[in-house]
Amino acid sequence: MISWMQKHHKYMVWTIWVAAIGFIGAGSVGWGSLHFGSKATSIAKVGDIEISQQKLNQAYSTLYNRYAQLFKGNFDDKKAKELGLVQQAFASLEIQAKLLNFAKENGIIVTDEEVAKKIESIQIFQTNGVFDKKAYKTYLQNQRLKAKDFESTLKDDMIIEKTLSLLHIKPLNLEVNTIASSMNIADKISYKILKSSDINVSLDENKIEKFWQEHKEQYQTQKIYQLAIIWEEPQDINASNDELKSYYEENSFNFTDTNGKILNFEEAKPQIKQALALKQLKRKAQLDYIDLKKGKISQPKTEAFSINDPQFPSNIWQEIETKDKGSIIKPKIINNKYAIIKIVSIEEPRVKTYQEAKDEVTKDYIITQKQQLLHQKAKNIVQQLQKYNPTTTDFIKIDNIDKFTDLNQQESLQFLQKLFISNKEKGMINISDNKIVVYNILDQKIEVADQNKTDIIKPTVDKLKTEIFQSNLIEQLNQKYQTQLYRKGLTK
C-alpha cells in the first residue's frame, strides 16, 4: 500500500482540500504533529496568499489522521516520512492558495454571516437540532483551536467550494450519450474458470528449504517487550446528581452516540460516572508514576508482549516504540483503567531458522507454486480453449454481473470491467491470485441505448468532466500564481 501511495499521492493531494472541512468531524489534532515551532510565521507565499506554519501544522495533522484511519492505526512518523506527508500537506495548501488567489481576483467572497450559518448547521455543534454555543466552544477547547483560526479555515474552504460551484459545467447530451454507448457494447464469449484449489503441488523438502533461503528475511520473530505494569482501577463514586450534571454541562461534547449525536444527560450518565471516576484516579496514577520513577515502590512482575499485542491500543504501542529500555511511560487510560508502563527489556526481531519457520514457509511455498502453475495452465489453454469444454454466454454487457453463476458478484464485476477494456479477442483475466478466467470473444454488437441507464450514467459523466476540468484549472493556476518558499523541505 505504501508503494502505491508514493506513486499516486500527487493525485491524492488534489482531493485533500476538498475534504478539508472533514476535520470538523474528526478533529484536526491527534496522531501526528509537525514540529517546526509553534510561531505562526509564513513558510511560503503563493501569489498574494501567505501560508502560515500554523496552517501547515493543521493540514499535516488532518492528513496524518486520515492515513492512520486508513492503516487502522498501524501508522507512525516513519511511514509519514516515507509517504512525504509534509510535502503532501504543503501541496494541498498550495492548491488552496492558488484557488483563493483566483477567487479573490474574480471577486468571489464568503461573508461572516455565511460562515456563521455554516457553523450553526454542523451537527456536532447542535443540541436537539439547535446550535449550541457551549458545544462549539467545548469543541474548540478540546481540539486546541482558536475560534478565529477555525473560522478562517472554514471561510477559505467555503470560498473554494463556491468558486468551483460557479465554474461547474453540466455534461452535454453528446458526452453522456458517448459514454452510454460504450456501456451498450455486448460480447458473446466462451470462458473457463481455473482455480488454484484444483492444482496439486508435490512437496519436496529441498525445494522448500531453497524457497526459505531465497525469502528468509520475510520470516522473522516478533519484537518482544518485557513490560512491568502498574494498573489503577477506578472505584465507584458517590457523586450527587448536581455534580454529575455540572460535569456533563462542561463536557457534553465528549458524550456522543455512534452517529456523533450528543447524548442527553440521562443517556450519558453511566459514561459521566466513569469519566469522573477516572478523573479522580488520575492524581493517584501520577503519584505512582513518580514513585516508580524514583524507585520508591517495587517494580511489578514483568510480562512479555509481542509488538502490537491487542491488549494495548495502537497509540500506546506507537509511544512504546519511541522509548528505550528502562523508560517509564506516563499514566495512560487503557480499557477504562490507568496503566503506568515500564519497559524492562526489548528483544529485537531476528530471522527465524528453517525449522522455526518451516510451517509458514511450507504454506507460502504451496501458495506460490499453485499460483505459478495456475498461470502456466491458463496460458496453455488460451489458444485451445474449445478443447476444454468452456461455457458459452448469450450477448453480455459490462453491467451483466448476474450472468456468471460460477462467479460471485464482485468477481463478475471485476471480470467484466477487465474484459470490456481489453483489446484482445482471446486471453486470460486474473480475478485473484487463486482464480483466472480464460476467455474467447465469439461475437460482438452494440445494443440500443436504454434511456433509464443513460440517466444513471449522467452523474458519473458529470463527475468525470468535473475532475478533468478541475485538473486543467489547476494546471492553468500553476502557471499564473508563483510560489515563493521561505523554508526547505516543503517540496520534493
Side-chain angles (χ1 to χ4, degrees), residues 384-426:
Q384 44 186 345
L385 178 58
Q386 292 309 313
K387 292 183 180 180
Y388 291 87
N389 192 29
T391 302
T392 300
T393 68
D394 294 327
F395 281 98
I396 55 173
K397 296 189 293 185
I398 194 169
D399 58 348
N400 291 148
I401 60 174
D402 58 341
K403 298 293 184 181
F404 302 92
T405 56
D406 35 13
L407 295 174
N408 63 40
Q409 287 197 343
Q410 185 61 40
E411 290 171 337
S412 298
L413 177 61
Q414 189 178 351
F415 170 64
L416 288 169
Q417 286 176 336
K418 291 181 178 179
L419 176 68
F420 280 93
I421 62 173
S422 173
N423 58 5
K424 294 180 180 179
E425 182 182 345
K426 57 180 66 176

Short mmCIF file of all heavy atoms in Angstrom, two decimals, residues 384-426:
data_model
loop_
_atom_site.label_atom_id
_atom_site.label_comp_id
_atom_site.label_asym_id
_atom_site.label_seq_id
_atom_site.Cartn_x
_atom_site.Cartn_y
_atom_site.Cartn_z
N GLN A 384 -6.29 -22.89 -27.15
CA GLN A 384 -7.07 -24.08 -27.49
C GLN A 384 -8.23 -24.26 -26.50
O GLN A 384 -8.51 -25.36 -26.02
CB GLN A 384 -6.17 -25.32 -27.49
CG GLN A 384 -5.22 -25.41 -26.32
CD GLN A 384 -4.24 -26.56 -26.44
OE1 GLN A 384 -4.43 -27.47 -27.23
NE2 GLN A 384 -3.21 -26.53 -25.62
N LEU A 385 -8.92 -23.16 -26.21
CA LEU A 385 -9.98 -23.16 -25.20
C LEU A 385 -11.10 -24.15 -25.53
O LEU A 385 -11.63 -24.81 -24.63
CB LEU A 385 -10.55 -21.74 -25.07
CG LEU A 385 -11.71 -21.55 -24.08
CD1 LEU A 385 -11.30 -21.98 -22.69
CD2 LEU A 385 -12.18 -20.10 -24.09
N GLN A 386 -11.46 -24.28 -26.80
CA GLN A 386 -12.59 -25.13 -27.17
C GLN A 386 -12.39 -26.59 -26.77
O GLN A 386 -13.35 -27.34 -26.63
CB GLN A 386 -12.86 -25.01 -28.67
CG GLN A 386 -13.38 -23.63 -29.11
CD GLN A 386 -14.57 -23.16 -28.29
OE1 GLN A 386 -15.52 -23.92 -28.06
NE2 GLN A 386 -14.53 -21.91 -27.83
N LYS A 387 -11.13 -27.00 -26.59
CA LYS A 387 -10.84 -28.38 -26.20
C LYS A 387 -11.18 -28.67 -24.74
O LYS A 387 -11.19 -29.83 -24.32
CB LYS A 387 -9.36 -28.70 -26.44
CG LYS A 387 -8.96 -28.74 -27.91
CD LYS A 387 -7.49 -29.13 -28.02
CE LYS A 387 -7.04 -29.20 -29.48
NZ LYS A 387 -5.60 -29.58 -29.57
N TYR A 388 -11.42 -27.62 -23.98
CA TYR A 388 -11.59 -27.78 -22.53
C TYR A 388 -13.04 -27.56 -22.07
O TYR A 388 -13.27 -27.17 -20.92
CB TYR A 388 -10.65 -26.83 -21.79
CG TYR A 388 -9.19 -27.22 -21.94
CD1 TYR A 388 -8.44 -26.78 -23.03
CD2 TYR A 388 -8.59 -28.05 -21.01
CE1 TYR A 388 -7.10 -27.15 -23.17
CE2 TYR A 388 -7.25 -28.42 -21.15
CZ TYR A 388 -6.53 -27.97 -22.23
OH TYR A 388 -5.20 -28.35 -22.38
N ASN A 389 -13.99 -27.79 -22.97
CA ASN A 389 -15.41 -27.72 -22.63
C ASN A 389 -15.78 -26.40 -21.94
O ASN A 389 -16.29 -26.39 -20.81
CB ASN A 389 -15.78 -28.90 -21.73
CG ASN A 389 -17.28 -29.06 -21.57
OD1 ASN A 389 -18.04 -28.69 -22.48
ND2 ASN A 389 -17.72 -29.58 -20.42
N PRO A 390 -15.56 -25.26 -22.62
CA PRO A 390 -15.86 -23.96 -22.00
C PRO A 390 -17.37 -23.69 -21.94
O PRO A 390 -18.15 -24.34 -22.64
CB PRO A 390 -15.17 -22.97 -22.93
CG PRO A 390 -15.25 -23.63 -24.27
CD PRO A 390 -15.07 -25.10 -24.01
N THR A 391 -17.75 -22.73 -21.11
CA THR A 391 -19.14 -22.25 -21.03
C THR A 391 -19.32 -21.14 -22.05
O THR A 391 -18.45 -20.28 -22.19
CB THR A 391 -19.45 -21.72 -19.62
OG1 THR A 391 -19.22 -22.76 -18.67
CG2 THR A 391 -20.88 -21.24 -19.52
N THR A 392 -20.45 -21.15 -22.77
CA THR A 392 -20.73 -20.09 -23.75
C THR A 392 -21.90 -19.24 -23.26
O THR A 392 -22.92 -19.77 -22.82
CB THR A 392 -21.06 -20.69 -25.12
OG1 THR A 392 -19.95 -21.47 -25.58
CG2 THR A 392 -21.34 -19.59 -26.15
N THR A 393 -21.75 -17.93 -23.34
CA THR A 393 -22.78 -17.00 -22.87
C THR A 393 -23.64 -16.50 -24.02
O THR A 393 -23.28 -16.65 -25.19
CB THR A 393 -22.15 -15.77 -22.19
OG1 THR A 393 -21.46 -14.99 -23.18
CG2 THR A 393 -21.17 -16.18 -21.10
N ASP A 394 -24.77 -15.87 -23.67
CA ASP A 394 -25.51 -15.05 -24.62
C ASP A 394 -24.72 -13.74 -24.74
O ASP A 394 -23.65 -13.59 -24.14
CB ASP A 394 -26.92 -14.77 -24.10
CG ASP A 394 -27.75 -16.05 -24.03
OD1 ASP A 394 -27.53 -16.93 -24.89
OD2 ASP A 394 -28.57 -16.15 -23.09
N PHE A 395 -25.26 -12.75 -25.44
CA PHE A 395 -24.60 -11.45 -25.50
C PHE A 395 -24.68 -10.80 -24.12
O PHE A 395 -25.76 -10.69 -23.53
CB PHE A 395 -25.26 -10.56 -26.55
CG PHE A 395 -24.81 -10.89 -27.95
CD1 PHE A 395 -25.59 -11.70 -28.77
CD2 PHE A 395 -23.60 -10.42 -28.43
CE1 PHE A 395 -25.18 -12.02 -30.05
CE2 PHE A 395 -23.17 -10.74 -29.72
CZ PHE A 395 -23.97 -11.55 -30.53
N ILE A 396 -23.53 -10.40 -23.60
CA ILE A 396 -23.47 -9.80 -22.26
C ILE A 396 -22.86 -8.40 -22.35
O ILE A 396 -22.04 -8.12 -23.23
CB ILE A 396 -22.63 -10.66 -21.29
CG1 ILE A 396 -21.23 -10.93 -21.86
CG2 ILE A 396 -23.35 -11.96 -20.97
CD1 ILE A 396 -20.28 -11.62 -20.91
N LYS A 397 -23.28 -7.54 -21.40
CA LYS A 397 -22.75 -6.18 -21.33
C LYS A 397 -22.00 -6.02 -20.01
O LYS A 397 -22.02 -6.89 -19.14
CB LYS A 397 -23.87 -5.15 -21.45
CG LYS A 397 -24.58 -5.20 -22.81
CD LYS A 397 -25.53 -4.05 -23.00
CE LYS A 397 -26.71 -4.12 -22.06
NZ LYS A 397 -27.70 -3.04 -22.33
N ILE A 398 -21.37 -4.87 -19.84
CA ILE A 398 -20.49 -4.64 -18.69
C ILE A 398 -21.24 -4.69 -17.36
O ILE A 398 -20.65 -4.95 -16.32
CB ILE A 398 -19.74 -3.30 -18.84
CG1 ILE A 398 -18.58 -3.24 -17.84
CG2 ILE A 398 -20.68 -2.12 -18.69
CD1 ILE A 398 -17.63 -2.09 -18.08
N ASP A 399 -22.56 -4.49 -17.39
CA ASP A 399 -23.32 -4.49 -16.13
C ASP A 399 -24.05 -5.81 -15.88
O ASP A 399 -24.82 -5.93 -14.93
CB ASP A 399 -24.32 -3.33 -16.10
CG ASP A 399 -25.30 -3.37 -17.27
OD1 ASP A 399 -25.06 -4.16 -18.21
OD2 ASP A 399 -26.29 -2.61 -17.23
N ASN A 400 -23.80 -6.82 -16.70
CA ASN A 400 -24.48 -8.10 -16.53
C ASN A 400 -23.74 -9.02 -15.56
O ASN A 400 -23.33 -10.14 -15.89
CB ASN A 400 -24.64 -8.81 -17.87
CG ASN A 400 -25.61 -8.14 -18.81
OD1 ASN A 400 -25.45 -8.18 -20.02
ND2 ASN A 400 -26.64 -7.50 -18.27
N ILE A 401 -23.60 -8.55 -14.33
CA ILE A 401 -22.82 -9.31 -13.35
C ILE A 401 -23.54 -10.55 -12.85
O ILE A 401 -22.94 -11.39 -12.18
CB ILE A 401 -22.43 -8.43 -12.14
CG1 ILE A 401 -23.67 -7.90 -11.43
CG2 ILE A 401 -21.51 -7.29 -12.57
CD1 ILE A 401 -23.36 -7.15 -10.15
N ASP A 402 -24.83 -10.68 -13.18
CA ASP A 402 -25.59 -11.84 -12.72
C ASP A 402 -25.57 -12.98 -13.73
O ASP A 402 -26.25 -14.00 -13.54
CB ASP A 402 -27.03 -11.44 -12.43
CG ASP A 402 -27.73 -10.83 -13.65
OD1 ASP A 402 -27.01 -10.41 -14.58
OD2 ASP A 402 -28.97 -10.78 -13.67
N LYS A 403 -24.80 -12.85 -14.80
CA LYS A 403 -24.77 -13.87 -15.84
C LYS A 403 -23.79 -15.00 -15.55
O LYS A 403 -23.75 -15.98 -16.27
CB LYS A 403 -24.40 -13.22 -17.19
CG LYS A 403 -25.39 -12.17 -17.69
CD LYS A 403 -26.72 -12.79 -18.05
CE LYS A 403 -27.67 -11.76 -18.65
NZ LYS A 403 -28.98 -12.33 -18.99
N PHE A 404 -22.97 -14.84 -14.51
CA PHE A 404 -21.94 -15.85 -14.23
C PHE A 404 -22.25 -16.51 -12.89
O PHE A 404 -21.89 -16.01 -11.82
CB PHE A 404 -20.55 -15.21 -14.19
CG PHE A 404 -20.19 -14.51 -15.47
CD1 PHE A 404 -20.45 -13.17 -15.65
CD2 PHE A 404 -19.58 -15.21 -16.51
CE1 PHE A 404 -20.13 -12.52 -16.83
CE2 PHE A 404 -19.26 -14.57 -17.69
CZ PHE A 404 -19.54 -13.23 -17.86
N THR A 405 -22.93 -17.64 -12.93
CA THR A 405 -23.32 -18.32 -11.69
C THR A 405 -22.14 -18.90 -10.95
O THR A 405 -22.22 -19.17 -9.75
CB THR A 405 -24.32 -19.45 -12.01
OG1 THR A 405 -23.73 -20.35 -12.97
CG2 THR A 405 -25.62 -18.89 -12.59
N ASP A 406 -21.02 -19.10 -11.67
CA ASP A 406 -19.83 -19.66 -11.03
C ASP A 406 -18.86 -18.60 -10.53
O ASP A 406 -17.76 -18.89 -10.11
CB ASP A 406 -19.10 -20.63 -11.98
CG ASP A 406 -19.18 -20.19 -13.44
OD1 ASP A 406 -19.58 -19.02 -13.68
OD2 ASP A 406 -18.85 -20.99 -14.32
N LEU A 407 -19.28 -17.33 -10.60
CA LEU A 407 -18.51 -16.22 -10.02
C LEU A 407 -19.44 -15.43 -9.11
O LEU A 407 -20.62 -15.26 -9.43
CB LEU A 407 -17.96 -15.29 -11.11
CG LEU A 407 -16.92 -15.84 -12.08
CD1 LEU A 407 -16.62 -14.80 -13.17
CD2 LEU A 407 -15.63 -16.22 -11.36
N ASN A 408 -18.92 -14.92 -7.98
CA ASN A 408 -19.76 -14.05 -7.17
C ASN A 408 -19.85 -12.68 -7.83
O ASN A 408 -19.19 -12.41 -8.83
CB ASN A 408 -19.25 -13.96 -5.72
CG ASN A 408 -17.87 -13.34 -5.63
OD1 ASN A 408 -17.53 -12.38 -6.32
ND2 ASN A 408 -17.03 -13.89 -4.75
N GLN A 409 -20.68 -11.79 -7.27
CA GLN A 409 -20.93 -10.50 -7.93
C GLN A 409 -19.66 -9.66 -8.07
O GLN A 409 -19.43 -9.03 -9.11
CB GLN A 409 -22.00 -9.72 -7.16
CG GLN A 409 -23.39 -10.29 -7.34
CD GLN A 409 -24.46 -9.31 -6.93
OE1 GLN A 409 -24.21 -8.32 -6.23
NE2 GLN A 409 -25.68 -9.57 -7.36
N GLN A 410 -18.84 -9.64 -7.02
CA GLN A 410 -17.61 -8.86 -7.08
C GLN A 410 -16.66 -9.42 -8.14
O GLN A 410 -16.05 -8.66 -8.91
CB GLN A 410 -16.92 -8.87 -5.70
CG GLN A 410 -15.68 -7.99 -5.60
CD GLN A 410 -15.99 -6.53 -5.86
OE1 GLN A 410 -17.02 -6.02 -5.43
NE2 GLN A 410 -15.10 -5.85 -6.58
N GLU A 411 -16.56 -10.74 -8.22
CA GLU A 411 -15.69 -11.36 -9.22
C GLU A 411 -16.22 -11.13 -10.62
O GLU A 411 -15.45 -10.86 -11.56
CB GLU A 411 -15.59 -12.86 -8.94
CG GLU A 411 -14.81 -13.21 -7.68
CD GLU A 411 -14.90 -14.67 -7.31
OE1 GLU A 411 -15.87 -15.35 -7.72
OE2 GLU A 411 -13.99 -15.15 -6.59
N SER A 412 -17.56 -11.21 -10.79
CA SER A 412 -18.17 -10.96 -12.10
C SER A 412 -17.91 -9.54 -12.56
O SER A 412 -17.58 -9.30 -13.72
CB SER A 412 -19.69 -11.21 -12.01
OG SER A 412 -19.96 -12.54 -11.69
N LEU A 413 -18.08 -8.59 -11.63
CA LEU A 413 -17.84 -7.18 -11.96
C LEU A 413 -16.39 -6.97 -12.38
O LEU A 413 -16.12 -6.30 -13.38
CB LEU A 413 -18.18 -6.31 -10.74
CG LEU A 413 -17.93 -4.81 -10.89
CD1 LEU A 413 -18.77 -4.23 -12.01
CD2 LEU A 413 -18.21 -4.09 -9.57
N GLN A 414 -15.47 -7.54 -11.63
CA GLN A 414 -14.05 -7.40 -11.93
C GLN A 414 -13.73 -7.99 -13.31
O GLN A 414 -13.00 -7.39 -14.11
CB GLN A 414 -13.22 -8.09 -10.85
CG GLN A 414 -11.72 -7.83 -10.96
CD GLN A 414 -10.96 -8.50 -9.82
OE1 GLN A 414 -11.53 -9.01 -8.89
NE2 GLN A 414 -9.65 -8.48 -9.92
N PHE A 415 -14.28 -9.17 -13.58
CA PHE A 415 -14.03 -9.83 -14.87
C PHE A 415 -14.57 -8.98 -16.03
O PHE A 415 -13.87 -8.75 -17.03
CB PHE A 415 -14.68 -11.22 -14.89
CG PHE A 415 -14.67 -11.87 -16.24
CD1 PHE A 415 -13.47 -12.20 -16.87
CD2 PHE A 415 -15.86 -12.12 -16.91
CE1 PHE A 415 -13.46 -12.80 -18.12
CE2 PHE A 415 -15.86 -12.70 -18.16
CZ PHE A 415 -14.66 -13.05 -18.77
N LEU A 416 -15.82 -8.51 -15.90
CA LEU A 416 -16.43 -7.74 -16.98
C LEU A 416 -15.72 -6.42 -17.22
O LEU A 416 -15.54 -5.99 -18.37
CB LEU A 416 -17.91 -7.51 -16.67
CG LEU A 416 -18.80 -8.75 -16.80
CD1 LEU A 416 -20.18 -8.49 -16.22
CD2 LEU A 416 -18.91 -9.18 -18.26
N GLN A 417 -15.30 -5.76 -16.15
CA GLN A 417 -14.58 -4.49 -16.31
C GLN A 417 -13.28 -4.70 -17.09
O GLN A 417 -12.96 -3.92 -17.99
CB GLN A 417 -14.28 -3.89 -14.93
CG GLN A 417 -15.49 -3.30 -14.25
CD GLN A 417 -15.19 -2.81 -12.84
OE1 GLN A 417 -14.25 -3.26 -12.18
NE2 GLN A 417 -15.99 -1.87 -12.35
N LYS A 418 -12.56 -5.76 -16.77
CA LYS A 418 -11.30 -6.04 -17.46
C LYS A 418 -11.55 -6.52 -18.89
O LYS A 418 -10.80 -6.19 -19.81
CB LYS A 418 -10.49 -7.07 -16.67
CG LYS A 418 -9.95 -6.54 -15.36
CD LYS A 418 -9.12 -7.59 -14.62
CE LYS A 418 -8.55 -7.02 -13.31
NZ LYS A 418 -7.75 -8.02 -12.57
N LEU A 419 -12.62 -7.30 -19.07
CA LEU A 419 -12.94 -7.81 -20.40
C LEU A 419 -13.25 -6.68 -21.37
O LEU A 419 -12.76 -6.67 -22.51
CB LEU A 419 -14.14 -8.77 -20.30
CG LEU A 419 -14.68 -9.32 -21.63
CD1 LEU A 419 -13.65 -10.28 -22.24
CD2 LEU A 419 -16.02 -10.00 -21.44
N PHE A 420 -14.04 -5.71 -20.91
CA PHE A 420 -14.50 -4.67 -21.82
C PHE A 420 -13.49 -3.54 -22.04
O PHE A 420 -13.74 -2.64 -22.83
CB PHE A 420 -15.85 -4.11 -21.35
CG PHE A 420 -17.01 -4.98 -21.73
CD1 PHE A 420 -17.49 -5.94 -20.86
CD2 PHE A 420 -17.60 -4.88 -22.98
CE1 PHE A 420 -18.54 -6.78 -21.21
CE2 PHE A 420 -18.67 -5.70 -23.35
CZ PHE A 420 -19.13 -6.65 -22.45
N ILE A 421 -12.35 -3.59 -21.35
CA ILE A 421 -11.28 -2.63 -21.69
C ILE A 421 -10.13 -3.35 -22.39
O ILE A 421 -9.15 -2.72 -22.78
CB ILE A 421 -10.76 -1.90 -20.44
CG1 ILE A 421 -10.14 -2.88 -19.44
CG2 ILE A 421 -11.84 -1.04 -19.81
CD1 ILE A 421 -9.45 -2.21 -18.26
N SER A 422 -10.26 -4.67 -22.55
CA SER A 422 -9.22 -5.43 -23.23
C SER A 422 -9.37 -5.29 -24.74
O SER A 422 -10.49 -5.23 -25.26
CB SER A 422 -9.31 -6.91 -22.83
OG SER A 422 -8.40 -7.68 -23.60
N ASN A 423 -8.24 -5.24 -25.44
CA ASN A 423 -8.28 -5.19 -26.91
C ASN A 423 -7.93 -6.54 -27.52
O ASN A 423 -7.62 -6.64 -28.71
CB ASN A 423 -7.33 -4.10 -27.44
CG ASN A 423 -5.89 -4.33 -26.98
OD1 ASN A 423 -5.59 -5.35 -26.35
ND2 ASN A 423 -5.02 -3.39 -27.29
N LYS A 424 -7.97 -7.59 -26.69
CA LYS A 424 -7.63 -8.93 -27.17
C LYS A 424 -8.89 -9.77 -27.38
O LYS A 424 -9.77 -9.79 -26.53
CB LYS A 424 -6.71 -9.63 -26.16
CG LYS A 424 -5.35 -8.97 -26.01
CD LYS A 424 -4.51 -9.72 -24.98
CE LYS A 424 -3.13 -9.07 -24.82
NZ LYS A 424 -2.31 -9.77 -23.81
N GLU A 425 -8.95 -10.45 -28.50
CA GLU A 425 -10.08 -11.30 -28.81
C GLU A 425 -10.13 -12.52 -27.89
O GLU A 425 -11.20 -13.01 -27.54
CB GLU A 425 -9.98 -11.77 -30.27
CG GLU A 425 -11.13 -12.64 -30.73
CD GLU A 425 -10.96 -13.11 -32.16
OE1 GLU A 425 -10.11 -12.54 -32.88
OE2 GLU A 425 -11.66 -14.06 -32.55
N LYS A 426 -8.97 -13.00 -27.51
CA LYS A 426 -8.89 -14.12 -26.57
C LYS A 426 -7.76 -13.85 -25.59
O LYS A 426 -6.79 -13.16 -25.91
CB LYS A 426 -8.66 -15.43 -27.31
CG LYS A 426 -7.43 -15.46 -28.20
CD LYS A 426 -7.27 -16.80 -28.91
CE LYS A 426 -8.37 -17.07 -29.90
NZ LYS A 426 -8.15 -18.33 -30.67
#
